[in-house]
Amino acid sequence: MNPELELLKQMAHTIAMQFGKDCEVIIHDLTSKDMDHTIVHIENGHVTKGKLGDGPSAVVLETLHRDPEDIKDHYAYQIKTSDGKILKSTTTFVKGEDGEVHYIVAINYDISALLMIDASLQSLMHVEEQKQDEPTAIVGNVHDMLDSLIEQSVSLVGKPAALMNKEEKVRAIQFLNDAGAFLITKSGDKVAKYFGISKFTLYSYIDVNK
């Protein structure tokens, strides 16, 4: 039994019991180095439909791509589920004595109903509605996430991969690298095939700014 992990599970249960069924708490275990299957504990998984054995979110992947010393906790940001729920989320990175991230605790609170109440109150009090940034979409698993990131890289360049020149492909692949896409197992094979380049060329594009 891992005392640190058991303590985190106890805390996750406590938080979920305190805030109720709309509060999801997820624990990711990164000590196994298997980035495709990191979730080892989940409370109220119906909120995002997450389950044991799923992988990390896009926010987590992007963060883990950074130097461990630069990794900071994320507080009170918004994400959106595939079925339209708006969640207020916090992600905490638990580091070991070696400075590496060992565990991640993610809290996702469904504020959809609260936002509807707030909108009604704002209308009732005749307060001008403030424009909000579009919440980041949440994807069910890491492989769907990779597809989504590839689509974003293509949108960033503004043309299909088949019509991109070298500089445009470098730009797209640098975006994927910065987003942590290559932490996903076998992502290099899929990205290289998608952009019609070799694995060697792919890695040279990743390292082009180094």
Side-chain angles (χ1 to χ4, degrees):
M1 181 180 296
N2 184 324
E4 186 177 22
L5 180 57
E6 291 305 313
L7 176 59
L8 291 175
K9 289 180 179 180
Q10 181 182 6
M11 292 174 60
H13 183 67
T14 300
I15 293 170
M17 292 297 291
Q18 172 70 17
F19 294 102
K21 64 180 179 62
D22 291 330
C23 182
E24 176 186 73
V25 188
I26 301 174
I27 299 175
H28 296 269
D29 183 354
L30 305 186
T31 59
S32 66
K33 305 301 182 182
D34 181 2
M35 295 304 297
D36 290 356
H37 310 285
T38 57
I39 295 180
V40 294
H41 185 79
I42 187 166
E43 302 275 348
N44 294 325
H46 61 271
V47 173
T48 63
K49 296 183 173 62
K51 57 185 182 298
L52 294 177
D54 282 353
S57 68
V59 171
V60 171
L61 278 179
E62 180 182 0
T63 303
L64 291 177
H65 178 68
R66 304 172 188 166
D67 187 292
E69 294 185 357
D70 296 331
I71 293 178
K72 306 296 182 184
D73 295 340
H74 295 256
Y75 299 109
Y77 61 92
Q78 284 190 2
I79 58 177
K80 180 172 65 176
T81 66
S82 58
D83 56 357
K85 297 175 186 174
I86 303 299
L87 311 180
K88 181 179 179 181
S89 300
T90 289
T91 303
T92 300
F93 300 89
V94 182
K95 298 180 182 179
E97 293 181 356
D98 57 1
E100 298 291 331
V101 177
H102 288 187
Y103 301 100
I104 298 170
V105 179
I107 302 173
N108 300 313
Y109 193 90
D110 184 359
I111 60 172
S112 305
L114 296 175
L115 289 174
M116 292 177 63
I117 294 172
D118 180 65
S120 297
L121 290 173
Q122 293 294 333
S123 176
L124 182 64
M125 294 183 294
H126 304 288
V127 175
E128 184 178 353
E129 185 177 356
Q130 296 180 350
K131 183 179 179 181
Q132 296 183 349
D133 293 333
E134 183 71 16
T136 304
I138 188 171
V139 185
N141 61 68
V142 290
H143 297 291
D144 289 344
M145 185 190 305
L146 179 58
D147 291 337
S148 176
L149 289 173
I150 291 174
E151 290 177 4
Q152 292 177 47
S153 72
V154 172
S155 297
L156 177 69
V157 174
K159 65 173 64 172
L163 299 180
M164 292 182 190
N165 58 31
K166 175 183 175 181
E167 289 73 19
E168 291 165 338
K169 289 182 179 180
V170 168
R171 184 183 178 196
I173 289 168
Q174 286 289 321
F175 166 82
L176 292 173
N177 185 48
D178 291 340
F182 298 112
L183 293 173
I184 300 173
T185 303
K186 296 183 179 179
S187 57
D189 294 329
K190 185 167 187 176
V191 172
K193 182 177 179 181
Y194 186 91
F195 286 95
I197 58 178
S198 68
K199 289 284 289 294
F200 176 81
T201 300
L202 172 68
Y203 293 129
S204 71
Y205 287 0
I206 293 174
D207 295 335
V208 70
N209 291 327
K210 294 184 179 179

